[in-house]
Amino acid sequence: RPHSFPRTETNIDELLTKHFAKKQAITRYEFQFLTGQVKSTALRTIKKLVEAGKLQNIGSRRLPVYVPAPGHYGSVKGV
């Protein structure tokens, strides 16, 4: 049974900052690949990032697409 690669919050923030420097958005699948997390762990981590105000879902509930919230991951606050 595959397990997720352990990541710290700081490590995930660094990975997302690098990702958003190149791309405007990220899907759950891309997040899994980027962080090495299995689906369930990726979903929990994304949920925490959304609740913390670091990511925003600009897609639908069934097909989420996440972008950095203003002031996070290189996104300019107030733009």
Side-chain angles (χ1 to χ4, degrees), residues 10-64:
T10 302
N11 183 244
I12 289 172
D13 286 344
E14 289 171 357
L15 291 170
L16 287 172
T17 298
K18 289 178 185 176
H19 174 84
F20 288 123
K22 297 175 189 165
K23 295 181 84 179
Q24 293 182 345
I26 192 166
T27 63
R28 189 255 322 144
Y29 183 77
E30 289 172 320
F31 185 87
Q32 274 184 251
F33 184 76
L34 182 72
T35 62
Q37 295 180 338
V38 295
K39 183 178 180 179
S40 58
T41 305
L43 288 169
R44 280 193 305 275
T45 304
I46 290 169
K47 182 179 178 188
K48 288 178 187 176
L49 292 170
V50 170
E51 289 172 352
K54 293 182 174 185
L55 289 179
Q56 294 177 331
N57 178 13
I58 60 165
S60 67
R61 186 165 185 237
R62 292 181 56 86
L63 294 169

